[in-house]
Amino acid sequence: MPRPSRAEAEAAVRTLIRWAGDNPVRAGLHDTPARVVRAYEEWFGGYARDPATILGRRFERSGYDDIVLLRDIPLHSTCEHHMAPITGVAHLAYLPGEQVVGLSKLARLVDAYARRLQIQERLTVEIADALQRELQPRGVAVAIRASHACMTSRGTHVHGSAMVTRRLLGAFEHEPWRGDILAVLSA
């Protein structure tokens, strides 16, 4: 499907404003369609980012042979069912093969996949699979804990709940590494 133009996207926002019961040309809303489209460019910028490029610059592991873990990576995504915010944290770990990657690249990988319409389960899988495919480590672990506004701001209005998803690959699927990584992720 061809991507709509900026003018078409702004017209769609004006339609939603009218549907909500307001006037899109009143003073406070006149520039809102353009602001919403600019916000969408940022919120959904992950579609333009390639995980292989993000993880492309690697370094020799220099003899390091244990878990590499980056915890508490801020995560901001959007639920594909209601287009409501998903906020939380991601924890990424891997057992290096021959190479390691800079820590900022792990956070950028999370951000690239999070800035797409998502469900948390697929987000977890996409991040883990990209790490496995690009770094070829001995093991990968990804855990995400997030709150979903589709539950807190509508429907059941359940506040304070969080969904946890995880994916373990390679050595992390089996003992002794499985117990080690699960302990570290839950610490």
Side-chain angles (χ1 to χ4, degrees):
M1 292 177 62
R3 187 175 184 172
S5 69
R6 178 176 292 278
E8 290 172 313
E10 289 179 14
V13 173
R14 281 190 288 281
T15 297
L16 286 173
I17 291 170
R18 281 195 328 271
W19 182 85
D22 214 323
N23 179 359
V25 297
R26 75 171 170 83
L29 292 174
H30 183 266
D31 295 327
T32 296
R35 284 192 298 267
V36 168
V37 170
R38 284 193 307 272
Y40 268 45
E41 286 175 328
E42 184 176 337
W43 290 336
F44 301 114
Y47 290 110
R49 294 167 61 195
D50 176 35
T53 302
I54 292 168
L55 297 173
R57 185 164 184 226
R58 300 177 198 132
F59 309 96
E60 295 302 316
R61 69 179 165 104
S62 301
Y64 186 77
D65 206 21
D66 209 331
I67 296 171
V68 174
L69 170 67
L70 184 59
R71 292 181 54 88
D72 301 321
I73 303 165
L75 180 137
H76 303 279
S77 193
T78 305
C79 166
E80 70 180 34
H81 299 138
H82 301 95
M83 295 185 78
I86 300 170
T87 56
V89 294
H91 313 297
L92 276 60
Y94 67 98
L95 281 169
E98 295 304 314
Q99 299 178 322
V100 295
V101 67
L103 292 179
S104 69
K105 305 303 188 255
L106 298 176
R108 288 179 188 177
L109 180 66
V110 169
D111 195 57
Y113 280 116
R115 290 185 182 276
R116 301 173 184 197
L117 293 170
Q118 282 290 9
I119 61 170
Q120 186 173 327
E121 297 89 339
R122 184 176 63 243
L123 177 60
T124 306
V125 168
E126 287 176 335
I127 293 167
D129 289 356
L131 278 173
Q132 183 67 40
R133 181 178 60 250
E134 300 304 326
L135 295 184
Q136 298 180 355
R138 293 174 291 141
V140 168
V142 174
I144 296 176
R145 178 183 170 89
S147 175
H148 295 246
C150 56
M151 270 187 51
T152 61
S153 68
R154 56 157 307 280
T156 59
H157 295 276
V158 176
H159 296 276
S161 65
M163 181 175 174
V164 177
T165 52
R166 68 179 190 204
R167 182 162 174 88
L168 306 178
L169 300 173
F172 289 137
E173 294 179 273
H174 312 286
E175 295 300 340
W177 289 109
R178 181 181 177 85
D180 286 351
I181 195 60
L182 292 176
V184 171
L185 289 173
S186 64

